[in-house]
Amino acid sequence: MPDLSPIPLVDLKAQYAALKPEIDAAIARVIANASFILGPEVRAFEAAFAAYCQAEHAVGVSSGTAALELTLRALGIGPGDEVITTPFTFIATAEAISAVGATPVFADIDPATYNLDPAAVEAAVTPRTRAILPVHLYGQPADMDGLAAVARRHGLRLIEDAAQAHGAEHRGRRVGSLADAACFSFFPGKNLGCYGDGGAVVTNDAALADRVRRLRDHGRTSKYVHEEVGFGHRLDALQAAILSAKLPHLDAANAARRRLAARYSQLLADTDLALPSAPAHVTPVFHLYVVRTPRRDQVLAHLQQRGIGAGVHYPLPLHLQPAYRFLGHQPGQFPVAEAAAGQVLSLPLFPEMTEEQQDRVVSALREALH
Ligand SMILES: *Cc1c(COP(=O)(O)O)cnc(C)c1O
């Protein structure tokens, strides 16, 4: 009898099953101590996560979106300023720029890596540009050499959106330590995820870390003194404790993702799918395993029919989203991103995935491509 059970895009239940004793103990500890807001659990996770990222400081915040927004605010970016970013990402990247009153300026991506193209960024710089905000899309570090060179030439800040790339490396250095600051999400499905919303800002800049720490907690400098108008954007202690339990397993989980990704690439090498490709100096962590085909919608429908939870990240680039209609962009303005949006397909991938599950995805794909 062949196994016909559905295969999800990510399987969070399998991950909990593997780590249940540690996670249950962490949750019980927080409840027993009844210290739910900031406190020792948050400080312990921040120290561990900063060390993991090979950086000096980590500040826990309420989400990846909050991490981006607080970083931009802490750098003094606001109305009248422009921040250059990719149109091929989750909308939160651009929303954070809008939230501080600045303008997202899109630049096209590289067709091989789907990450920001430094030459396109250079061409988008104006006298109002203050920062470049690349995304390490699908867990693959952006071209940080090229982007840092543009930032240096024009005196711009460089901020990593590392929401999909916990543990990825660029020239042997972890993301989180490659720019002025890096913003992480701990949304449940991310490579390091909590059991609700969470995020962190990671930086080697002590003043920037202090400002983010103050802004996340109502601008507070002491219990009853609020130095500036801030936000309720703290990481809570329950999430921090869960993250502390999961962090020691992140490297093994990323290694499992890489092994499964390599196996997909081997099994699909003779198809006409375009497979992920990374330059030799980066170590991706495969938040997603993304293939590309002009027959994407047909292939996706076939996989879904077979109970396989494939997805599309992302079908509509940000410059064509209704929310950004006010920027006045037209189809054709970022052709590489637009072509990718019509052709990319994310296959199921999670550290606990079995080779049998992977084989079923591959044979369903072969049927669809036939
Ligand atoms: C998930 C994600 C975010 C937002 O993170 P949240 O924790 O959901 O707010 C931002 N940027 C990218 C690229 C993401 O994938």
Side-chain angles (χ1 to χ4, degrees), residues 62-66 68 89-90 92-93 135 137 161 163-164 184-187 190 197-199 287 314:
S62 54
S63 69
T65 308
L68 290 161
T89 176
F90 180 56
T93 314
V135 177
L137 198 71
D161 181 339
Q164 303 188 358
F184 289 87
S185 165
F186 306 124
F187 185 83
K190 302 293 163 93
D197 277 307
H287 174 59
Y314 297 88

Side-chain angles (χ1 to χ4, degrees), residues 72 77-85 93-106 124 126 128-131 133 324 326-329:
L72 293 167
I77 294 169
D81 296 333
E82 295 176 354
V83 177
I84 300 173
T85 193
T93 314
E95 274 177 325
I97 299 167
S98 301
V100 303
T103 302
V105 171
F106 299 117
T126 77
R128 289 170 179 267
T129 309
R130 294 284 313 281
L133 177 48
Y324 279 116
F326 71 93
L327 292 175
H329 290 297

